[in-house]
Amino acid sequence: MKIRNTISIWIAAITLSVGMVSGFIVYLEMSEEYYNLIDRELDDLSASTLSSLFDSDSKQPEADPETDRYFIEIITDSKEIVYQSRLAGIVTLSQQDDEDHFVERIDIPYEHLWLDPIDEDDMLELSGDGVLFRVLVIKETVDGKNYIITVAKPLPFMTEDLKEVREQ
């Protein structure tokens, strides 16, 4: 084989390798950024729920269609439920003591989830493997009492979206 062909093969192999590695890095960064965005959303939601619970006289946040699509549960150290959203009454999430952000797959019928009407056509494409929940667990002290705030967002299309990205 001529030196010219050998150099061309090496350049093509290096270019292909660099392309694959950079694509993998971009994929990891995109999935990490997606989780960071959801984590910020859950942080804001937990702060607003906690403030509405303890800053109001009613001691019970009003039903809000925006927050009703999330899993929100506030309990005391003695496991007494202070507040529970509609979804938290249906789903039970595990408590992981060493993690404050984690993902959990739960088998739940899709009719219990709030879905954007635009996404109704995409429901047919779901595989039925369960729904991913991005979970945030915060421990707060308010007025001398310790509370555990668990906030989670259902991500029914996350698995399918990642499969699409991997296939491309």
Side-chain angles (χ1 to χ4, degrees):
M1 194 185 299
K2 292 185 177 181
I3 189 79
R4 199 176 330 167
N5 289 341
T6 307
I7 291 173
S8 296
I9 290 173
W10 273 102
I11 289 173
I14 291 171
T15 304
L16 180 64
S17 299
V18 167
M20 288 176 60
V21 168
S22 63
F24 182 70
I25 291 171
V26 167
Y27 171 76
L28 288 178
E29 288 295 320
M30 284 179 57
S31 62
E32 183 180 316
E33 186 59 34
Y34 184 67
Y35 283 129
N36 289 340
L37 183 65
I38 292 171
D39 290 343
R40 285 193 298 269
E41 180 182 349
L42 294 177
D43 280 332
D44 292 343
L45 182 62
S46 66
S48 67
T49 303
L50 198 62
S51 68
S52 70
L53 184 65
F54 292 106
D55 292 344
S56 66
D57 295 332
S58 66
K59 293 292 183 195
Q60 193 68 268
E62 295 190 20
D64 183 9
E66 285 296 314
T67 59
D68 209 27
R69 62 181 78 165
Y70 297 92
F71 177 101
I72 305 171
E73 184 177 65
I74 301 174
I75 59 175
T76 61
D77 279 345
S78 59
K79 305 297 183 203
E80 176 188 337
I81 297 174
V82 177
Y83 175 75
Q84 192 176 48
S85 67
R86 180 191 63 80
L87 190 57
I90 299 169
V91 175
T92 303
L93 295 175
S94 65
Q95 295 289 332
Q96 298 182 5
D97 294 331
D98 56 340
E99 297 280 333
D100 57 349
H101 292 89
F102 58 94
V103 177
E104 186 170 349
R105 183 179 303 277
I106 304 289
D107 289 326
I108 179 175
Y110 295 121
E111 60 262 9
H112 292 300
L113 303 176
W114 180 91
L115 295 171
D116 195 353
I118 295 172
D119 294 333
E120 286 181 5
D121 293 339
D122 295 336
M123 289 293 295
L124 302 173
E125 297 175 13
L126 293 177
S127 60
D129 300 357
V131 176
L132 285 179
F133 279 79
R134 180 64 175 178
V135 183
L136 167 68
V137 179
I138 300 174
K139 296 178 180 175
E140 286 282 332
T141 302
V142 178
D143 297 332
K145 283 188 169 182
N146 294 326
Y147 296 95
I148 300 170
I149 302 116
T150 306
V151 183
K153 181 177 183 177
L155 306 168
F157 301 108
M158 179 70 172
T159 307
E160 301 302 321
D161 292 344
L162 289 177
K163 282 181 188 175
E164 285 180 19
V165 169
R166 276 187 237 129
E167 290 172 0
Q168 292 179 356

